[in-house]
């Protein structure tokens, strides 16, 4: 019984530590998953102008609703949204097993 309690306590600590990592990138995850509902002022400076342009583009908004996140970011124009593309690649590398 004591061994089970020790194992459960150990798992609880590990679980808490792993989710602290997600808390640190919560805003980035929200921007990645819902770029049309994020206030540009709450994002990194280098993303703000591209995010505003993206949010004003009705065609992109429609594509975001229709496509998977991977395909949405893949089809973004690299010339218009280079920082958003870089950001998306970083987020996808963090979450790669989720989207495979």
């Amino acid at each position: 019984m004591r061994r089970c309690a020790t194992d459960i306590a150990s798992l609880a600590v590990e679980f808490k530590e792993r989710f602290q990592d997600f808390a640190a990138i919560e805003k980035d995850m929200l921007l990645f998953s819902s770029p049309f509902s994020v206030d540009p002022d709450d994002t990194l400076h280098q993303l703000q102008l591209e995010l505003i342009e993206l949010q004003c583009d009705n065609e992109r908004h429609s594509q975001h609703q229709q496509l998977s996140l991977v395909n949405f970011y893949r089809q973004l124009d690299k010339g218009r949204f280079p920082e958003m593309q870089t950001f998306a690649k970083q987020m996808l590398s963090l979450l790669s097993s989720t989207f495979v």
Side-chain angles (χ1 to χ4, degrees):
M1 187 74 157
R2 178 178 274 186
R3 179 185 163 154
C4 287
T6 303
D7 288 346
I8 290 172
S10 175
L11 287 172
V13 168
E14 185 175 336
F15 186 81
K16 184 178 178 182
E17 288 174 356
R18 287 183 186 250
F19 280 98
Q20 282 178 345
D21 293 342
F22 283 107
I25 61 168
E26 182 177 6
K27 284 185 179 182
D28 289 343
M29 288 176 39
L30 181 60
L31 172 59
F32 174 71
S33 64
S34 303
F36 293 91
S37 62
V38 173
D39 184 346
D41 288 334
D42 295 337
T43 64
L44 297 171
H45 179 71
Q46 66 266 27
L47 295 174
Q48 289 178 351
L49 290 177
E50 288 184 21
L51 182 59
I52 291 167
E53 184 175 349
L54 181 68
Q55 290 176 344
C56 292
D57 190 325
N58 290 332
E59 184 178 340
R60 300 293 164 253
H61 189 264
S62 177
Q63 289 175 336
H64 181 260
Q65 293 173 330
Q66 295 172 2
L67 300 172
S68 69
L69 283 175
V70 173
N71 288 332
F72 170 74
Y73 284 107
R74 185 178 291 144
Q75 62 78 38
L76 280 182
D77 184 338
K78 294 174 184 158
R80 283 179 64 195
F81 304 105
E83 295 295 333
M84 289 298 293
Q85 286 249 319
T86 300
F87 171 76
K89 288 176 186 176
Q90 291 169 345
M91 293 304 295
L92 284 168
S93 70
L94 291 174
L95 306 169
S96 61
S97 63
T98 305
F99 291 99
V100 172

